[in-house]
Amino acid sequence: MKKLINDPADVVTESVEGFGLAHPDVVHVRTDPLYVTRAGGPRTGKVGLVSGGGSGHEPLHAGFVGVGMLDAAVPGAMFTSPVPDAITPALQAADGGAGVVAIVKNYTGDVMNFELGAEIAEAEGVTVRTVLVNDDVAVEDSTWTAGRRGVAGTLCVEKIAGAAAERGDDLDAVVAVAEKVVANVRSMGVALTACTVPHAGRPSFDLADDEIEIGIGIHGEPGRHRVPMAPADAVTEQLLTPVVEDLRLGDGESVLLFVNGMGGTPLSELYVVYRHARRLLEERGVTVTRSLVGSYVTSLEMQGASVTVLRLDDELTALWDAPVRTTALHW
Amino acid sequence: MKKLINDPADVVTESVEGFGLAHPDVVHVRTDPLYVTRAGGPRTGKVGLVSGGGSGHEPLHAGFVGVGMLDAAVPGAMFTSPVPDAITPALQAADGGAGVVAIVKNYTGDVMNFELGAEIAEAEGVTVRTVLVNDDVAVEDSTWTAGRRGVAGTLCVEKIAGAAAERGDDLDAVVAVAEKVVANVRSMGVALTACTVPHAGRPSFDLADDEIEIGIGIHGEPGRHRVPMAPADAVTEQLLTPVVEDLRLGDGESVLLFVNGMGGTPLSELYVVYRHARRLLEERGVTVTRSLVGSYVTSLEMQGASVTVLRLDDELTALWDAPVRTTALHW
């Protein structure tokens, strides 16, 4: 294993410490327990937004803390849910008196720990509502999931709910718009290589030199099938088609097209995927009105990509376009 | 070779086409010859800024086209200089009547082709000045270079010269501030793995499973030495020390610290490197007043990182802070 780390037990803490030192104008890092808050603390009267999950998917979620997106993020150990002891203070730190929405990717550990963390925060007087994200169309149930997994579509939920909270929507309204995004966003990914979790020290699965896995999860959970390496356009079609069909996207609709890198994929390849995904959508009469291309929801150094499509209407478009000032998304 | 590409001969064009489709509000892509201009064309009376070089280092340079940075970028084939036939029209397209500055990384092919491209543009009435970037302290002379190589420090030159041009500095002043950045920026990198150029189809060099290369170039050119894999803090020290010593940084100075990923390195690892590099600078009495962490000047899917330090004064700090709206840098 070759990684730019020290002791594998310290990588998350050291990384988040570095993150805090680099961006004091955007975030504030608390250690013991470890969580990240928006610089300047919660805004009084604004609904707070919190997310979190296992580390190894950076910039998700700490990179999305800032104005117009999250108030706090809770990084767990690598590919391991954060514990309630960290979740509860993060929920409390995000509370500006108008309640807090926890955005949770649908993994059993995250769901359970956020539920416990929220219960304790509620007992201490914070109103918490939870929104589960389950955008991955690849498989029902998986290694650590009952139902569908939450993957790159989480970024869309956090961005749009964050904008709603920032403009002053109340708790019910922020939950409603977050649920609306969940209902209209779908993703599917492909792995060309596995990744290595530092404390494990070896690749999380084996993939032959000429083989890729369609429908992979962001922790390397099994997908739909393994197929021989194929041209990017053919791979892109295998990712986009199930997404479009699951969304029942029709002629005349508008979407956000988000091509996400898994961490080890060159940006140039993501734009090759984007180009063909966009053409395939256009062939179906679907207009791409918003785009995002980059490595935002990753699996350490895994090579691969995912395609996310979000059905847009005027409301979601305006919230997507609203200003955001985080370290990973900024406009 | 597993890559999300179609025919290796088409990867650059398809990727840049996708880039243009995704960001019509920021850039405009011209094909045949291939180059990228700022959306809306050159601003009359503003000094134009152009850069370019072999592809495979994305988001450099096309990702830095936009308000406050480059007016045009010329992507060559993978790891291959663009030809004068593409450079000349890019220089012309960037000319708002106040002359154009070409920012060229110090590789023999780029230097020669930009010289030829500039000569032809000059014959057509465009005043062109060239600034060479040679920030890599690792080695003098290299596979494709006489003198030092130009690497991640190029981003600093483009950002700061771009801000100077944007605020209305004339041609001499933009060249002067670009040269000032070149004089005060130094970098050094490390490779944990090689990368594979699509048309070659195999890794550009061999590196043993327990070995890393200190001082690597962004095309995998030889560095200073190969050493056994070591903890991130020890590797960071081997990168930072030569940079600091070459800059003759002293107690009480202020710097920008830029930790750059080579393409295949998780963001979490870059922050581990950043954390220790910052500590080492502080131990020398150097204050980090500006920071950048991410994969901005890459070598396809290579795993590794580079550390760049730019000595700051009030002028350079203000120009670094000035607004920038490109697809890869935005504030």
Side-chain angles (χ1 to χ4, degrees):
Chain A
M1 178 179 66
K2 291 197 281 192
K3 288 182 176 288
L4 291 168
I5 63 172
N6 297 299
D7 187 326
D10 299 329
V11 57
V12 171
T13 305
E14 291 181 355
S15 175
V16 176
E17 278 178 11
F19 177 73
L21 289 167
H23 310 293
D25 49 330
V26 182
V27 293
H28 185 69
V29 168
R30 326 276 177 129
T31 49
D32 196 26
L34 186 69
Y35 61 98
V36 177
T37 57
R38 177 168 155 173
R43 221 180 72 205
T44 306
K46 187 185 89 69
V47 170
L49 237 70
V50 177
S51 193
S55 292
H57 308 299
E58 289 69 31
L60 181 86
H61 297 272
F64 304 143
V65 172
V67 175
M69 216 160 163
L70 298 179
D71 292 275
V74 198
M78 284 287 172
F79 288 6
T80 304
S81 173
V83 294
D85 281 356
I87 294 170
T88 300
L91 292 167
Q92 291 172 313
D95 186 26
V100 177
V101 179
I103 297 172
V104 181
K105 301 193 299 302
N106 188 36
Y107 298 97
T108 307
D110 289 326
V111 172
M112 188 184 70
N113 286 320
F114 267 89
E115 199 173 294
L116 284 169
E119 269 176 29
I120 303 167
E122 292 253 12
E124 307 260 341
V126 183
T127 305
V128 182
R129 303 274 293 274
T130 298
V131 173
L132 280 188
V133 186
N134 60 352
D135 55 311
D136 189 341
V137 302
V139 291
E140 285 290 329
D141 303 334
S142 184
T143 315
W144 297 292
T145 320
R148 287 178 169 182
R149 301 176 299 224
V151 291
T154 311
L155 178 152
C156 303
V157 181
E158 295 177 2
K159 169 65 186 81
I160 286 172
E166 204 70 48
R167 75 176 174 189
D169 283 14
D170 68 14
L171 191 58
D172 283 344
V174 174
V175 169
V177 81
E179 298 283 13
K180 182 174 168 182
V181 177
V182 171
N184 287 287
V185 69
R186 298 288 187 280
S187 303
M188 188 147 140
V190 60
L192 276 58
T193 63
C195 61
T196 298
V197 177
H199 65 256
R202 56 188 172 75
S204 48
F205 59 97
D206 292 314
L207 206 50
D209 279 350
D210 59 350
E211 202 179 43
I212 62 177
E213 180 147 348
I214 303 281
I216 196 84
I218 57 172
H219 310 91
E221 307 97 311
R224 288 191 174 186
H225 44 254
R226 294 185 171 194
V227 296
M229 186 66 226
D233 287 358
V235 175
T236 301
E237 189 164 0
Q238 291 187 65
L239 301 183
L240 186 77
T241 303
V243 164
V244 167
E245 289 179 353
D246 200 273
L247 276 174
R248 299 174 193 275
L249 269 182
D251 192 36
E253 294 202 273
S254 295
V255 298
L256 163 73
L257 173 57
F258 168 25
V259 175
N260 175 60
M262 291 295 195
T265 300
L267 191 55
S268 51
E269 296 181 25
L270 301 183
Y271 281 110
V272 171
V273 171
Y274 173 88
R275 171 180 172 275
H276 194 61
R278 184 176 173 123
R279 287 192 174 185
L280 293 171
L281 285 164
E282 285 170 354
E283 282 171 13
R284 291 171 179 262
V286 175
T287 307
V288 176
T289 56
R290 294 296 181 274
S291 301
L292 185 68
V293 182
S295 292
Y296 292 103
V297 179
T298 63
S299 303
L300 292 165
E301 75 283 5
M302 184 188 284
Q303 288 179 36
S306 60
V307 172
T308 296
V309 176
L310 168 63
R311 177 188 277 115
L312 289 174
D313 59 12
D314 290 347
E315 180 193 28
L316 296 187
T317 303
L319 290 167
W320 178 260
D321 287 348
V324 58
R325 289 179 191 178
T326 69
T327 63
L329 275 194
H330 193 131
W331 58 71
Chain B
M1 178 179 65
K2 293 196 279 192
K3 288 180 177 288
L4 291 168
I5 63 172
N6 297 299
D7 187 326
D10 299 329
V11 57
V12 171
T13 306
E14 290 181 356
S15 176
V16 177
E17 279 179 10
F19 177 73
L21 290 167
H23 310 292
D25 49 331
V26 182
V27 294
H28 185 68
V29 169
R30 325 277 177 130
T31 49
D32 198 24
L34 187 69
Y35 61 99
V36 177
T37 57
R38 176 169 155 173
R43 220 180 72 204
T44 305
K46 187 186 89 68
V47 169
L49 236 69
V50 177
S51 193
S55 291
H57 307 298
E58 289 70 29
L60 179 89
H61 296 275
F64 304 143
V65 172
V67 175
M69 215 161 163
L70 299 178
D71 292 275
V74 198
M78 284 288 172
F79 287 7
T80 305
S81 172
V83 294
D85 281 355
I87 294 169
T88 300
L91 291 167
Q92 292 172 312
D95 186 26
V100 177
V101 179
I103 297 172
V104 180
K105 300 192 300 300
N106 188 35
Y107 298 98
T108 307
D110 289 326
V111 172
M112 187 183 70
N113 286 319
F114 267 90
E115 199 172 294
L116 284 169
E119 269 177 28
I120 305 167
E122 292 254 12
E124 307 260 341
V126 182
T127 305
V128 182
R129 302 273 293 277
T130 298
V131 173
L132 280 187
V133 186
N134 60 352
D135 55 311
D136 189 341
V137 301
V139 291
E140 285 290 330
D141 303 335
S142 185
T143 316
W144 296 293
T145 321
R148 287 178 168 183
R149 301 175 299 223
V151 291
T154 311
L155 178 152
C156 303
V157 182
E158 296 179 1
K159 169 65 186 83
I160 286 172
E166 204 71 50
R167 73 176 175 189
D169 284 14
D170 67 15
L171 191 58
D172 283 343
V174 174
V175 170
V177 81
E179 298 283 14
K180 181 174 168 182
V181 178
V182 171
N184 287 287
V185 70
R186 298 290 186 279
S187 304
M188 188 147 139
V190 60
L192 277 57
T193 63
C195 61
T196 298
V197 178
H199 65 256
R202 56 189 172 72
S204 47
F205 59 96
D206 292 315
L207 206 51
D209 280 351
D210 58 349
E211 201 180 43
I212 62 177
E213 180 147 347
I214 302 282
I216 195 84
I218 57 172
H219 310 91
E221 307 97 312
R224 287 190 173 187
H225 44 253
R226 293 185 173 194
V227 297
M229 186 68 226
D233 287 358
V235 174
T236 301
E237 189 164 2
Q238 291 188 64
L239 301 183
L240 187 76
T241 303
V243 164
V244 167
E245 290 179 352
D246 201 274
L247 275 174
R248 300 173 193 275
L249 268 183
D251 191 36
E253 294 203 274
S254 296
V255 299
L256 163 73
L257 173 58
F258 168 25
V259 175
N260 175 59
M262 291 295 196
T265 300
L267 191 55
S268 51
E269 297 181 25
L270 301 182
Y271 280 110
V272 171
V273 171
Y274 173 87
R275 171 181 172 274
H276 193 62
R278 185 176 172 122
R279 288 193 174 184
L280 293 171
L281 286 164
E282 285 170 354
E283 282 171 13
R284 290 170 178 263
V286 176
T287 307
V288 176
T289 55
R290 295 294 181 273
S291 302
L292 185 69
V293 182
S295 293
Y296 292 103
V297 180
T298 62
S299 303
L300 292 166
E301 75 283 5
M302 184 188 283
Q303 289 179 35
S306 60
V307 172
T308 296
V309 176
L310 168 63
R311 177 188 276 114
L312 288 174
D313 61 11
D314 289 348
E315 181 194 27
L316 296 186
T317 303
L319 290 167
W320 179 260
D321 287 347
V324 58
R325 291 179 191 178
T326 69
T327 63
L329 276 193
H330 193 132
W331 58 72

